[in-house]
Amino acid sequence: MTVTPQPLTARQRGLLVLLSFDAFLLGLLELFFLPLRLDGIVLPKLGDAPIPLTVVLAVLTTPLLVMMTAKVIRPSFSVIPLLVWVLVVLVMGVTGPGGDLVLVQDWRALLLIGGGALPGALALGGGLGRAAKAGKGGNHG
């Protein structure tokens, strides 16, 4: 027996657009503030050390967006905010506004990409696995 998914309601489409826009804005914010340093300009002067605060933001918010999409829309659509975030970070990081290279070329870039994509992918896989298990259990139970 095949189950055809119902089309998204207008409310669900609006929420999907909102969550995707959130992923877009968070990707930009995390990318543009990645080069923060303790140099006395924005943060206090403490030895000019790099402090990638936006990686922590990415680790927390990317899986949250994925889980929210799975919860309020449908688990199969939860990949969309993750893809939006990854595309924003990669495309804007390399091409940037005016052709500038925004993504810093050191360990912080890898930390940002891994810190946002890995937890988001784990949340995506967990949500899809739970949905598949619930669907499988519902058909046989």
Side-chain angles (χ1 to χ4, degrees):
M1 175 167 98
T2 333
V3 178
T4 4
Q6 298 295 323
L8 294 179
T9 64
R11 178 180 175 270
Q12 287 175 319
R13 284 192 301 271
L15 286 172
L16 182 60
V17 168
L18 181 65
L19 289 167
S20 298
F21 185 66
D22 286 346
F24 176 81
L25 289 179
L26 283 166
L28 283 179
L29 174 84
E30 292 156 1
L31 182 64
F32 289 152
F33 284 97
L34 184 62
L36 279 179
R37 303 181 77 80
L38 293 170
D39 58 2
I41 297 172
V42 175
L43 298 174
K45 183 157 182 68
L46 293 171
D48 201 30
I51 182 160
L53 293 173
T54 61
V55 172
V56 176
L57 186 63
V59 167
L60 297 174
T61 59
T62 308
L64 185 64
L65 286 170
V66 170
M67 290 185 293
M68 277 309 245
T69 304
K71 184 176 182 178
V72 299
I73 298 167
R74 179 176 309 157
S76 58
F77 283 86
S78 59
V79 70
I80 294 173
L82 181 60
L83 286 177
V84 167
W85 184 88
V86 168
L87 286 173
V88 164
V89 169
L90 292 179
V91 171
M92 287 299 293
V94 174
T95 61
D100 294 334
L101 183 66
V102 178
L103 195 60
V104 291
Q105 296 181 1
D106 62 9
W107 57 272
R108 293 173 290 175
L110 294 174
L111 201 60
L112 177 65
I113 293 168
L118 184 61
L122 290 173
L124 173 65
L128 291 176
R130 281 189 295 277
K133 186 176 180 180
K136 187 176 182 182
N139 291 338
H140 296 292

